């Protein structure tokens, strides 16, 4: 699965000079979620890329830090709990990019 975090997808929408494209691959047997983050635009403003988990239709807390640097690409793997796997399948996770100036991008 691939998602793009852009200012137009944030609530409320924002104008920012960067975006993140994140590709996920999930291994059901190991519960591992592999990710590849690609940052474009003015990366020096990016504070981090995070995987959030929400309980309802509200913003949720940070579940995993996917990137905490301004490198153009960052890859890694997180192992989800059984409960998190259920929430992943239910669409309760989203990607957020935070900047040093605070506008948030979501996907």
């Amino acid at each position: 699965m691939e998602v793009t975090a852009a200012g137009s997808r944030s609530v409320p929408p924002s104008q920012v000079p960067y975006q993140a494209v994140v590709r996920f691959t999930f291994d059901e047997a190991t519960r591992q979620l592999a990710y590849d983050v690609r940052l474009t635009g003015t990366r020096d403003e990016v504070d981090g890329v995070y995987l959030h988990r929400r309980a309802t239709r509200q913003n949720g807390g940070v579940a995993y830090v996917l990137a905490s640097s301004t490198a153009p690409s960052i890859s890694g793997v997180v192992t989800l709990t059984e409960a998190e796997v259920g929430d992943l399948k239910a669409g309760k996770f989203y990607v957020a990019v935070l900047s040093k100036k605070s506008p948030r991008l979501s996907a």
Side-chain angles (χ1 to χ4, degrees), residues 40-78:
T40 60
T42 312
R43 295 187 316 270
D44 61 339
E45 292 185 19
V46 174
D47 187 45
V49 181
Y50 305 92
L51 187 61
H52 285 246
R53 181 178 172 198
R54 61 177 146 232
T56 59
R57 293 184 182 258
Q58 304 172 30
N59 289 336
V62 174
Y64 296 96
V65 176
L66 303 183
S68 60
S69 74
T70 59
S73 73
I74 299 135
S75 298
V77 176
V78 295

Side-chain angles (χ1 to χ4, degrees), residues 5-6 16 21-23 32 35 37 39 52-53 57 59-60 74 80 87-88 90 92 94 101:
V16 292
V21 176
V22 185
R23 180 179 301 270
Q32 290 187 328
Y35 59 88
V37 178
L39 295 170
H52 285 246
R53 181 178 172 198
R57 293 184 182 258
N59 289 336
I74 299 135
L80 304 179
D87 285 348
L88 178 69
K92 294 183 178 181
Y94 65 94
K101 296 179 182 176

Side-chain angles (χ1 to χ4, degrees), residues 5-22:
S8 60
R9 295 183 178 187
S10 298
V11 179
S14 62
Q15 297 282 338
V16 292
Y18 55 85
Q19 72 175 18
V21 176
V22 185

